[in-house]
Amino acid sequence: MTATAPPESLVDAPPVLDVRDLSVTFRTETGSVSAVDGVNLSLAPGEIVGIVGESGCGKSVTAMSLAGLLPRSARIDGSVRLQGQELVGARPSTLRAARGRDIAYIFQEPMSSLNPVLTVGRQVAEVLQVHERLSRREALERAVELLALVGIPSARERVKHYPHQLSGGMRQRVMIAMAVACSPKVLIADEPTTALDVTVQAGILDVLRDLRDRFGTSILVITHDLGVIADIADRVVVMYAGRIVERAGVQRLFDRPQHHYAAGLLSASPTPGRHAGTHRLQEIPGLVPVLEAQPDACTFADRCPAATARCSSAAPPLEPAPLAADVGDHPHEVACWHPRGDRPRPTVEEHA
Amino acid sequence: MRGYLLRRAWQSLLTLVLATVVVFLGVRALPGDPALALAGEDRTPEALAAIRREYGLDQSLPVQFWRFLTNALQGDLGTSIRTGQPVSSMLRTALPVTLELSLLAIAIAVVLGVGAGVVAAVRRGRPAEWVANALALLGLSVPHFWLGLVAILYLSVATGLFPASGFVPVSESVAQNLHHLVLPAVILGTGLSAVIMRQTRSSMLDALSTDFVRTAEAKGLRPRAVIGRHALRNSLIVVVTIVGLQLGGLISGAVVTEQIFGLPGFGKLTIDAVFQRDYPVIQAVVLVTASSYIVINFAVDLLYSIIDPRVRVTGDAS
C-alpha cells in the first residue's frame, strides 16, 4: 500500500485530517478482534468523503477511533493527524480540546444520542461554554442562531424543548447544530440519515452540504447507503472487514467499480431505471467475517465470484486501478488481484 | 399537571383513611386489655368498668372509630392511657427527634451511596470499585442494631468521642444536638447507603454506555460534566425511586436505632405504647407514619417530574 502516491498530493491545500496506517484491535473475553487494519485516509479542506460498507466492516470503528471515542478495550495503532496534530496516544486534555472544537460528530440515532433530561438549547450551548468560554446566557443565544442555521423553525422556542418533544429530523438537526457550534474543521457523520424517513434524509444532507459550502467544513460520511454517497460525497472509500478495498471519485466508482465487493454493493442497491421491471436486487452471499487477526489474504475471497487460489494466499495491496480511461480528479485505487478493469458496472445477470 | 396533582391527593386521602381503619382494628386485635394494664392492683370489675367508660372503651367499635376519626380531624388525637398527657403534645416532642434523625440519615446515605456508586461505576474493574463493592456488601449484611452496639462500645464507651445515649433539642444547642445524633444517623444511614450505592452503580453503568454520554464525550466536555450532568442526572431517576421505597425501611429502622441510643423519638414512643396497650398513642403514631409514607411517595413523584422532563408530559396527558 505504501507504494501508492497519497491522494492528497493531488489537491492544493494540505489535508485537514490525515490518517496513516490506522489499526484498531478490541480485547474481548474470548480473545482479540481486529476491527480496522492499516487504513490510510485523508480529508482535504471542504471535501466530503464517504466511507461505505456493510455492517461490521469497520467503518464506524474507524470514525470513532479518530477522536479516541472507542472504549478502553480498544487498542489504536497508527497515526491520526488533525491539522498536523497527532491524536493517537494524545493526552486526554488534548483530545478533549480537539473534540467538539476541531473535530465533531453526528451519530446515527438522534433520539438516543441526545440527553433526554436536558433541553436541546442547553445541549448545544454546552459545547460553546466549554470551547469558547461563553457564559450560559451568551451560549444559549448562540444556540438559537445555530438551530436557525440548520433549518429549525422558531428556534427561539425550540431551544427550550426537550429531545422527546421534537421529530426525528429536527433532533438530527439539533445534533448537527451541536456539532458545528464551534465551526469544526472536520465533521464526522456516522450514518446521519439511517434512522430517518427518506423525505427527511434529503433535508439533512442539504444541511450538511450547505455547511461545507459556507464554512469549508470537511465532512466524513459513514454510511451503508450508496444513495447517500451518490447524493453528497466527492470521493468514496469502500471498506471491507477492516480494510480499504477501493477508493475513487464517486462517479467513477458508480461507473467502473473495480473491486468485486464494491460491484456487489452497487448491484445490491436499487437504482432508478437500472433494475426496472422484473429483476430482483442482487445480494452478496455470506457475511462480513469477524477476524481475530488480519490474514495475509483477501478477506473477501470467500464471497467473491472471481476468487482464485492467489486471493487466499496473499493480501492484495491498494494500487491504482488498471483502467484505460482517465481517472478524473481523484485517484482510483483498488485492492484486488483480479480487478474488474474497464468492464462497466455489473448488470443483474452477470452476478446471477 | 393540576389534574394529576388532584388525582394524587384524592388517592392519598383514600390510602390514609384505609390505613386508619386497619390500624384501629389491628390495635384492638392485640392480645391484652388496656383497662387491665391501667388498673394495676385494683382489678375489681367496678374499677375496670370505670376505666373503660372513661376512655370510651365500652362503646361499640364503629362508635369508637367514628369518635377517633372526628377528633383526629380536629387535631385531637386523644389522651394517652399510660401518661394521661394529650397524645398530640407527646407527638410534638417525639416527632422532631425522629424527623431529624431520619433526615440526617438520608442525607448521609445519599451522599455516601451516590458518591460510592458513581466511583464504582466510573472506576469499573479497578481497586476503587472493589472497595466500594466490599463496603456496600458490609453495609447490606451487617444488621444496624449490631453496628450500633459496636459503635457505642468503641466510639462512646471506650473513647468517649460521642455520647452513648440521650438527646439535646436543637433549640438548646445545635452543636450538642448534632453531637448526639451523628452516630445514630450514620448507623441508620449505612444500610440505606449500601442500597443506594448498588443502585447508583448499576444505573450509572447503564448511563455511561448510552449514546448521549458518547455524544457528551464527543463534544469535548470534561469528565466531571460528562459524569455529573449527563450520566448521573439520568441515573438519579432510578435512585430516587429506590430511596423513596427504602424510606419506609428507614422509619422502622429508626425505631430500633432510637431504642439503642436512647433517643426520645417516635420509635421509643411506639414501643412503649405497644407494650402498654396505649391505644390512642399507637393509633396516632401509625396515623403519622402512614401520612409520612404518603407524603414521601408524593414527594418522590414530584421529584421524578423535576429530574425527568418526559414524566411531566405523561402527567399532563393522562
Side-chain angles (χ1 to χ4, degrees):
Chain A
M1 283 179 230
T2 45
T4 323
E8 65 268 24
S9 63
L10 292 180
V11 294
D12 301 334
V16 279
L17 183 73
D18 196 12
V19 178
R20 296 277 156 173
D21 208 20
L22 181 75
S23 295
V24 181
T25 315
F26 288 97
R27 287 189 311 271
T28 68
E29 285 171 17
T30 51
S32 64
V33 172
S34 166
V36 175
D37 179 42
V39 162
N40 290 295
L41 190 70
S42 72
L43 262 179
E47 192 181 29
I48 301 184
V49 173
I51 299 186
V52 71
E54 287 168 282
S55 307
C57 69
K59 52 193 196 307
S60 280
V61 174
T62 303
M64 295 304 143
S65 67
L66 298 180
L69 287 177
L70 292 173
R72 276 191 296 160
S73 61
R75 179 196 156 91
I76 305 175
D77 293 303
S79 159
V80 174
R81 284 182 177 272
L82 181 67
Q83 296 184 286
Q85 186 181 33
E86 179 61 57
L87 294 184
V88 173
R91 290 155 49 137
S93 58
T94 311
L95 280 175
R96 271 206 307 277
R99 289 177 193 158
R101 193 186 64 187
D102 302 321
I103 183 167
Y105 283 83
I106 301 166
F107 299 110
Q108 173 173 349
E109 186 54 71
M111 183 70 228
S112 59
S113 298
L114 289 170
N115 190 330
V117 305
L118 298 177
T119 61
V120 294
R122 181 89 197 280
Q123 295 187 59
V124 175
E126 240 179 4
V127 197
L128 295 156
Q129 288 172 262
V130 174
H131 293 297
E132 309 206 340
R133 306 247 163 249
L134 294 187
S135 74
R136 194 157 159 178
R137 178 175 297 182
E138 291 165 336
L140 273 173
E141 207 46 48
R142 278 279 292 143
V144 175
E145 294 166 24
L146 284 161
L147 292 189
L149 176 80
V150 296
I152 294 180
S154 42
R156 191 158 293 279
E157 279 73 54
R158 286 297 185 189
V159 285
K160 297 177 203 130
H161 285 192
Y162 290 92
H164 69 268
Q165 294 168 298
L166 304 179
S167 68
M170 286 301 142
R171 283 184 212 131
Q172 194 61 298
R173 283 171 198 261
V174 170
M175 280 298 291
I176 297 176
M178 206 152 80
V180 301
C182 301
S183 323
K185 294 289 172 295
V186 176
L187 185 61
I188 294 168
D190 187 5
E191 302 275 8
T193 58
T194 306
L196 304 176
D197 286 347
V198 182
T199 47
V200 180
Q201 286 187 6
I204 295 294
L205 294 180
D206 282 341
V207 171
L208 291 178
R209 201 174 5 245
D210 183 49
L211 289 169
R212 186 267 300 268
D213 294 344
R214 287 166 74 165
F215 306 110
T217 315
S218 308
I219 304 178
L220 192 63
V221 181
I222 319 291
T223 183
H224 65 270
D225 185 348
L226 286 162
V228 170
I229 298 287
D231 193 347
I232 195 172
D234 304 316
R235 280 199 296 135
V236 57
V237 171
V238 183
M239 281 189 79
Y240 185 79
R243 291 176 183 166
I244 293 181
V245 295
E246 183 165 4
R247 69 169 134 221
V250 168
Q251 198 52 53
R252 279 297 295 229
L253 187 94
F254 277 69
D255 289 344
R256 293 280 186 278
Q258 291 302 301
H259 201 282
H260 298 273
Y261 178 62
L265 278 182
L266 282 167
S267 49
S269 309
T271 318
R274 192 173 275 268
H275 298 287
T278 55
H279 295 307
R280 284 171 56 98
L281 287 172
Q282 187 62 47
E283 61 177 309
I284 306 173
L287 294 169
V288 182
V290 175
L291 302 169
E292 282 187 19
Q294 289 286 344
D296 189 19
C298 175
T299 46
F300 187 60
D302 292 346
R303 304 170 71 187
C304 184
T308 60
R310 189 183 189 189
C311 302
S312 334
S313 58
L318 194 64
E319 286 178 336
L323 279 165
D326 176 33
V327 291
D329 290 343
H330 305 289
H332 192 162
E333 296 167 302
V334 64
C336 180
W337 293 124
H338 312 289
R340 295 173 47 85
D342 285 316
R343 279 185 288 168
R345 177 177 169 174
T347 61
V348 172
E349 289 75 21
E350 186 185 338
H351 253 284
Chain B
M1 197 72 189
R2 168 179 280 187
Y4 171 72
L5 285 179
L6 278 175
R7 204 172 59 246
R8 277 306 311 264
W10 164 244
Q11 285 170 353
S12 304
L13 194 67
L14 202 66
T15 317
L16 200 56
V17 170
L18 281 176
T20 323
V21 173
V22 170
V23 168
F24 181 83
L25 294 177
V27 170
R28 277 154 183 82
L30 282 176
D33 183 345
L36 270 180
L38 273 179
E41 296 297 302
D42 183 20
R43 294 186 174 184
T44 57
E46 296 77 27
L48 289 177
I51 291 169
R52 292 205 177 98
R53 202 167 36 249
E54 190 189 338
Y55 290 98
L57 298 169
D58 53 347
Q59 313 267 339
S60 70
L61 285 184
V63 172
Q64 284 189 42
F65 180 67
W66 183 247
R67 274 176 47 184
F68 165 67
L69 205 61
T70 46
N71 287 337
L73 284 177
Q74 293 160 30
D76 176 10
L77 291 166
T79 312
S80 164
I81 296 178
R82 182 168 55 96
T83 64
Q85 282 182 320
V87 176
S88 50
S89 79
M90 289 168 76
L91 287 181
R92 258 200 299 281
T93 48
L95 196 56
V97 181
T98 304
L99 220 51
E100 207 192 336
L101 176 66
S102 306
L103 287 178
L104 262 180
I106 293 169
I108 290 169
V110 167
V111 169
L112 283 182
V114 171
V118 169
V119 168
V122 173
R123 301 262 152 207
R124 191 178 191 189
R126 300 192 206 169
E129 192 205 359
W130 307 333
V131 172
N133 278 339
L135 285 179
L137 194 62
L138 268 180
L140 280 177
S141 32
V142 176
H144 51 241
F145 61 83
W146 183 81
L147 208 57
L149 292 175
V150 172
I152 290 176
L153 204 57
Y154 288 98
L155 296 177
S156 303
V157 178
T159 59
L161 283 175
F162 294 96
S165 75
F167 179 77
V168 178
V170 193
S171 50
E172 278 179 34
S173 159
V174 177
Q176 279 290 310
N177 170 272
L178 285 178
H179 196 207
H180 278 85
L181 277 180
V182 163
L183 210 49
V186 168
I187 301 298
L188 188 53
T190 44
L192 183 58
S193 78
V195 176
I196 295 176
M197 180 270 170
R198 300 291 306 169
Q199 204 59 49
T200 307
R201 176 183 165 278
S202 72
S203 54
M204 271 300 279
L205 282 176
D206 285 345
L208 285 173
S209 61
T210 55
D211 288 349
F212 60 80
V213 163
R214 183 183 59 183
T215 306
E217 282 176 343
K219 286 199 264 190
L221 300 186
R222 293 172 175 282
R224 187 192 294 180
V226 175
I227 291 164
R229 203 179 307 148
H230 289 272
L232 182 59
R233 183 133 183 227
N234 279 275
S235 313
L236 283 183
I237 298 163
V238 185
V239 175
V240 165
T241 314
I242 295 301
V243 173
L245 290 174
Q246 292 290 321
L247 282 182
L250 194 66
I251 296 171
S252 53
V255 172
V256 179
T257 310
E258 280 173 13
Q259 205 64 23
I260 291 169
F261 286 91
L263 295 172
F266 230 62
K268 198 163 157 34
L269 194 65
T270 312
I271 288 176
D272 291 348
V274 169
F275 281 132
Q276 301 285 332
R277 305 286 180 274
D278 197 345
Y279 289 176
V281 174
I282 302 175
Q283 280 167 187
V285 160
V286 178
L287 195 65
V288 171
T289 312
S291 318
S292 54
Y293 259 85
I294 290 164
V295 170
I296 287 165
N297 274 323
F298 199 55
V300 167
D301 276 6
L302 287 181
L303 259 182
Y304 281 150
S305 64
I306 292 170
I307 297 172
D308 191 347
R310 287 166 296 185
V311 177
R312 265 172 256 170
V313 176
T314 355
D316 269 330
S318 52

